[in-house]
């Protein structure tokens, strides 16, 4: 259908357009048409003499069309290593906060080489932004410029600043511009400083000049088409759409349009407002422009023309056809690309409730779709719902891919099936192994597609408790990355950390320590000392040192983690609370209880503010603070906090959870130490029963609770009840955790003291000598618990005070 045929068919009616949009390869998997819009503006913007941006959030207030955007852009370019620019008044969907957030995250990903997948949900995007900004700032100064911030709005009534983090990392500055009025008052609540901007000429005169140009047919046509276009128009498109030739009109409009030599856009929100009020007040005329542009874009057959055609169909009110296009095989196949999928999800969400969209997608899946379209449908559904797709979609897609002989698609479906929640452990290994074989035959070692499958295999081995295979798979991935990217590549960091986690689970802390040291060295050298990944590496290495009782170095690393994290995310962030909590544990272990109390209280305050009382993080902080207070002799407050923690765990995870049982044991120990034996005994018995139900009768957690009950009986004058419990713990612990474990040695110490006090010193001595002999044979040195046993053995033949 030609343009004249289109016009004849439309007449005075907004009839239904019938054509099929053919998706072509996207010019960039993360860029949207709005990126082109901003690129044209930035390329055409003339430098303005102005001061550099200052730290924090700057607000520039001035009339629309007064050059505010150019001034902020010049200031940002003068002060920052990298500038992200967004103009919410330039048209298209630039006023949509989700478009702004996607553009910002995608730009950060391209700039910094992040391997994280781009999130699709607005809430998840907002949650990701602080971390991504902190990582980017560690690599250089960043400026975010948002022009016409009053137009960035979800409801069209007030500006949206939900995206702006409460805390900006060092070297991240934000600059906003707005016109005077209510929006400026709302924006003032979030800014560090504000400036007034006077226009170079009276805005009323500017409006008058635009209106005069709107009275001329050639200039009016150009203004109307550019007003309707999502990302501007090329000169070739304007030539086809306008009559006469638009070049003279573009020259006459030089003050009100911007071009980069290939593409033209309207220069400001003011130009758009005047054009709309002067010639496009009729909604029907706007629809006609959008529908004709939809036809024009559909006929271009270049990358992104289908994306633009679909947008114009939606803007022209043809929403039924938009959904039909989105459900076609071509469009579903395009959903494997991130930007197409993001844009499509915005249309699907307009259908209404979540279940309706899922029902529509299920109906689409029931039709005969080729393999690539099914893969696109799978990714679309996962991005929309965050849940695994129906398994039959994956099986259907795999069958289609096999029939078509498309091995890359086969591997993709095998990977999805291999990680699906309904796939058995045995089948997962088989499916992922098949995907690995396909990828290995097609890719060089270290290729991201290949290492991605290796990672899935390693995770599967971990979940199946096949730690030996997990180690081998992680090592294979590390070797492949070293071959492709070198031994000093930052890509190795997550692999080294994951492999260290497996060794830690196996109790091989020395191996874990070496891997984590290498990861931390790479993070500091490749990413920088202030990078959040460096903080994460410090934290993981500190955890291994804490487990190894190397408290001094653990404390140093935890302090470094806190310093980096607090600078990056602020004093009231959840990550800061986690760092305070971890530092508190090592300070607590070093018996500096007053300092531990301070750290725990601050962590608790942050978590209460973020989550409230009934949250797992808050419950953990309540428990930890209670333990520190107990050690400091503040038993009454500690008891209150233990009981608050129990109430929180009851609400969060229930009374049959490991967290509830752990806190219950802490409260029972406190009551025992305060002499409230009658109150403590039923708590111990309840705790033992919970652990038995959760992990079985011989698990270390169950044995620890039994040992604590035995201590209660021993201290409470009931040795006859304590002795059989301790015998059971000693025998079981020797088999389950070994004779060098703290649990085993604690039970030995308790039973030896009980035997000594009942006049059975020879039995006590034999028990202690056996335990010490086993400990020395395995470790060759005396640990702190073993030294306690040695002192207890020495006391059997001396007048030294008894050691409990």
């Amino acid at each position: 259908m030609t343009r004249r045929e289109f016009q004849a068919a439309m007449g005075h009616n907004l009839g239904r357009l019938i054509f099929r949009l053919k998706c072509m390869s996207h010019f960039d998997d993360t860029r949207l048409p709005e990126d082109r819009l901003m690129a044209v503006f930035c390329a055409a913007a003339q430098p303005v003499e102005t001061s550099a941006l200052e730290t924090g959030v700057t607000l520039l207030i001035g009339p629309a069309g007064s050059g505010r955007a150019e001034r902020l852009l010049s200031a940002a370019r003068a002060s920052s290593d990298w500038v992200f620019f967004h103009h919410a008044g330039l048209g298209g969907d630039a006023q949509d906060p989700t478009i702004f957030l996607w553009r910002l995250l995608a730009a950060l990903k391209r700039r910094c080489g992040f391997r994280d997948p781009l999130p699709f949900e607005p809430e998840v995007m907002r949650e990701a932004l602080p971390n991504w900004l902190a990582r980017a700032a560690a690599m250089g100064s960043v400026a975010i410029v948002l022009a016409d911030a009053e137009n960035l709005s979800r409801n069209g009534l007030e500006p949206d600043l939900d995206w702006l983090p409460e805390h900006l990392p060092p070297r991240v500055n934000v600059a906003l511009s707005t016109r005077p009025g209510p929006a400026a008052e709302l924006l003032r609540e979030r800014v560090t400083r504000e400036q007034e901007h006077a226009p170079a000429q009276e805005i009323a005169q500017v409006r008058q000049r635009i209106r005069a140009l709107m009275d001329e047919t050639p200039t009016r046509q150009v203004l109307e088409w550019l007003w309707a276009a999502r990302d501007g128009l090329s000169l070739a498109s304007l030539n086809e759409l306008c009559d006469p030739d638009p070049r003279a009109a573009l020259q006459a409009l030089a003050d009100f349009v911007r071009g980069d030599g290939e593409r033209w856009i309207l220069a400001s929100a003011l130009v758009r407002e005047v054009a709309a009020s002067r010639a496009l007040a009729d909604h029907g005329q706007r629809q006609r422009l959008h529908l004709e542009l939809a036809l024009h874009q559909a006929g271009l057959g270049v990358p992104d023309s289908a994306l633009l055609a679909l947008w114009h169909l939606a803007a022209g009110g043809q929403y039924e056809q938009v959904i039909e296009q989105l459900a076609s095989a071509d469009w579903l196949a395009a959903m494997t690309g991130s930007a197409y999928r993001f844009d499509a999800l915005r249309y699907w969400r307009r259908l209404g409730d979540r279940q309706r969209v899922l029902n529509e997608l299920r109906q689409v899946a029931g039709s005969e779709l080729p393999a690539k379209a099914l893969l696109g449908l799978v990714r679309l559904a996962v991005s929309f719902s965050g849940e695994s797709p129906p398994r039959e979609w994956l099986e259907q897609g795999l069958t289609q891919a096999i029939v078509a002989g498309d091995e890359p698609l086969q591997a993709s479906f095998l990977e999805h099936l291999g990680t699906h929640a309904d796939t058995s452990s045995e089948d997962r290994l088989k499916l992922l192994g098949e995907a690995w074989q396909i990828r290995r035959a097609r890719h060089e070692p270290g290729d991201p597609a290949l290492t991605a499958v290796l990672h899935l295999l390693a995770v599967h081995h971990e979940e199946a408790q096949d730690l030996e295979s997990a180690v081998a798979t992680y090592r294979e991935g590390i070797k492949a990355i070293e071959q492709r990217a070198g031994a000093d590549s930052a890509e190795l960091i997550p692999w080294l950390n994951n492999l260290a986690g497996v060794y830690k689970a196996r109790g091989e802390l020395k191996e874990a320590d070496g891997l984590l040291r290498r990861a931390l060295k790479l993070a500091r050298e490749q990413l920088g000392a202030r990078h959040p990944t460096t903080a994460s590496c410090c934290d993981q290495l500190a955890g291994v040192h804490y487990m190894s009782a190397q408290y001094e170095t653990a404390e140093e690393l935890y302090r470094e983690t806190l310093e980096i994290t607090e600078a990056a995310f602020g004093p009231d962030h959840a990550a800061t609370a986690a760092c305070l909590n971890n530092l508190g544990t090592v300070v607590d272990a070093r018996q500096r209880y007053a300092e531990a109390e301070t750290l725990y209280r601050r962590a608790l305050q942050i978590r209460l503010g973020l989550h409230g009382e009934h949250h797992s993080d808050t419950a953990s902080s309540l428990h930890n603070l209670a333990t520190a207070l107990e050690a400091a002799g503040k038993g009454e407050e500690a008891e209150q906090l233990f009981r608050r923690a129990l109430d929180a765990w009851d609400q969060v995870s229930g009374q049959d959870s490991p967290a509830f049982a752990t806190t219950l044991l802490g409260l029972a120990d406190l009551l025992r130490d305060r002499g409230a034996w009658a109150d403590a005994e039923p708590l111990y018995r309840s705790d033992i029963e919970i652990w038995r139900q959760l992990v079985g009768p011989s698990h270390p957690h169950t044995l620890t609770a039994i040992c604590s009950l035995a201590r209660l009986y021993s201290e409470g004058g009931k040795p006859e009840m304590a002795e059989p419990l301790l015998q059971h713990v000693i025998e079981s612990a020797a088999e389950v955790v070994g004779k060098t474990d703290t649990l085993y040695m604690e039970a030995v110490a308790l039973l030896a003291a009980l035997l000594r006090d009942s006049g059975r010193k020879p039995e006590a001595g034999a028990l202690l000598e056996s335990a010490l002999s086993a400990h020395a044979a395995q470790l060759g040195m005396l640990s702190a618990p073993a030294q306690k046993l040695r002192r207890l053995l020495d006391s059997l033949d001396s007048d030294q005070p008894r050691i409990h």
Side-chain angles (χ1 to χ4, degrees), residues 769-790:
E769 288 174 353
S770 174
L772 286 168
S773 176
H775 187 276
Q778 292 187 44
L779 297 184
M781 60 181 181
L782 290 182
S783 64
Q787 291 173 15
K788 180 179 178 180
L789 296 186
R790 170 58 65 185

Side-chain angles (χ1 to χ4, degrees), residues 156-167:
L157 300 175
E158 57 188 26
D160 186 332
L161 278 184
D162 287 349
W163 63 270
L164 182 61
E166 292 291 337
H167 172 86

Side-chain angles (χ1 to χ4, degrees), residues 9-243:
M10 294 295 291
H12 297 290
N13 301 312
L14 295 177
R16 174 179 165 78
L17 284 174
I18 307 293
F19 57 84
R20 178 63 63 194
L21 300 180
K22 178 72 173 177
C23 294
M24 298 184 67
S25 58
H26 193 44
F27 74 100
D28 186 306
D29 192 35
T30 62
R31 295 182 193 267
L32 295 170
E34 283 70 22
D35 285 282
R36 265 197 303 268
L37 192 66
M38 305 307 158
V40 173
F41 184 92
C42 291
Q46 296 298 314
V48 177
E49 288 190 13
T50 185
S51 58
L53 287 182
E54 298 182 48
T55 302
V57 183
T58 299
L59 177 63
L60 183 63
I61 302 176
S66 60
R68 299 168 305 173
E70 290 86 347
R71 178 175 166 183
L72 286 183
L73 184 58
S74 294
R77 285 171 167 170
S79 60
S80 305
D81 297 323
W82 180 73
V83 177
F84 171 80
F85 177 81
H86 188 89
H87 196 315
L90 284 186
D93 277 340
Q95 81 288 346
D96 186 338
T98 61
I99 290 282
F100 166 78
L101 260 177
W102 173 274
R103 287 196 62 243
L104 176 53
L105 290 173
L108 288 168
K109 181 180 173 74
R110 292 191 298 270
R111 159 77 177 175
C112 303
F114 296 158
R115 293 187 174 273
D116 316 47
L118 279 164
F120 290 87
E121 285 291 333
E123 183 178 351
V124 181
M125 285 192 262
R126 288 191 291 270
E127 290 174 356
L129 182 59
N131 180 273
W132 288 32
L133 284 176
R135 289 155 66 188
M139 304 169 70
S141 56
V142 173
I144 300 171
V145 177
L146 173 57
D148 282 11
E150 73 275 14
N151 290 322
L152 193 75
S153 176
R154 282 177 286 183
N155 55 21
L157 300 175
E158 57 188 26
D160 186 332
L161 278 184
D162 287 349
W163 63 270
L164 182 61
E166 292 291 337
H167 172 86
L168 290 177
R171 302 206 294 176
V172 173
N173 299 319
V174 173
L176 313 171
S177 73
T178 185
R179 66 185 71 189
E185 297 303 317
L186 291 172
L187 292 171
R188 280 190 174 106
E189 298 175 3
R190 297 293 307 276
V191 304
T192 309
R193 71 195 56 80
E194 64 179 76
Q195 303 171 3
E196 298 290 336
H197 179 62
Q201 57 181 314
E202 288 294 329
I203 298 302
Q205 296 177 4
V206 175
R207 290 179 179 273
Q208 187 174 358
R209 288 180 59 200
I210 300 171
R211 291 191 185 103
L213 289 166
M214 291 293 294
D215 290 334
E216 301 294 329
T217 298
T219 48
R220 186 186 70 250
Q221 284 184 354
V222 170
L223 287 171
E224 287 178 347
W225 288 121
L226 292 181
W227 178 91
R230 181 175 180 180
D231 63 345
L233 291 168
S234 67
L235 185 60
S237 289
L238 285 170
N239 267 326
E240 182 175 338
L241 294 165
C242 296
D243 187 17

Side-chain angles (χ1 to χ4, degrees), residues 397-414:
L398 179 59
T399 300
Q400 296 273 27
I402 292 171
V403 170
D406 192 324
E407 289 192 338
L409 280 178
Q410 291 177 44
S412 294
F413 282 111
L414 287 166

Side-chain angles (χ1 to χ4, degrees), residues 484-691:
R484 177 180 58 82
D488 59 351
S489 171
E491 290 181 46
L492 292 165
I493 294 172
W495 286 82
L496 293 167
N497 287 333
N498 289 342
L499 178 56
V502 179
Y503 278 118
K504 187 166 67 171
R506 292 171 61 171
E508 299 177 44
L509 299 185
K510 183 177 180 180
E511 289 285 349
D513 180 86
L515 292 162
L516 293 173
R517 286 180 185 275
R518 182 183 172 191
L520 178 56
K521 183 174 183 292
L522 285 175
R524 285 172 172 160
E525 292 176 351
Q526 301 300 322
L527 303 177
R530 315 306 296 172
H531 198 283
T533 299
T534 303
S536 176
C537 290
C538 284
D539 181 77
Q540 294 192 57
L541 182 57
V544 168
H545 285 202
Y546 177 82
M547 292 175 66
S548 304
Q550 301 176 52
Y551 297 136
E552 183 176 353
T553 54
E555 181 178 343
E556 292 173 0
L557 288 164
Y558 276 139
R559 288 194 183 280
E560 183 178 352
T561 305
L562 175 60
E563 183 181 353
I564 299 170
T565 302
E566 190 165 4
F569 304 119
D572 299 319
H573 194 272
T576 302
C579 292
L580 290 164
N581 183 75
N582 290 344
L583 179 57
T585 60
V586 73
V587 171
D588 193 347
R590 302 188 76 181
Q591 299 182 0
R592 303 207 308 267
Y593 302 123
E595 186 179 354
E597 178 185 341
T598 300
L599 293 166
Y600 284 144
R601 284 193 187 280
R602 188 179 162 203
L604 175 60
Q605 194 64 32
I606 295 170
R607 287 170 166 176
L608 281 170
L610 291 173
H611 310 304
E613 183 92 359
H614 295 149
H615 188 277
S616 58
D617 288 346
T618 307
S620 294
S621 284
L622 288 166
H623 175 100
N624 291 340
L625 178 55
T627 59
L629 292 172
E630 179 187 8
K634 301 178 181 180
E636 185 174 344
E637 185 181 359
E639 181 180 344
Q640 294 173 0
L641 290 170
F642 272 132
R643 293 191 184 279
R644 284 174 62 188
L646 282 175
D647 180 62
W649 288 127
D650 185 22
Q651 296 292 322
V652 172
S653 56
Q655 295 188 12
D656 57 350
S657 65
F660 185 91
T662 300
T663 299
L664 186 63
L665 183 61
L667 176 58
D669 286 343
L670 172 65
L671 294 173
R672 181 199 67 209
D673 292 342
R674 297 178 70 188
W677 294 327
D679 293 331
E681 181 180 2
L683 297 185
Y684 280 128
R685 292 193 175 279
S686 295
D687 195 62
I688 292 168
E689 187 56 33
I690 294 172
W691 284 121

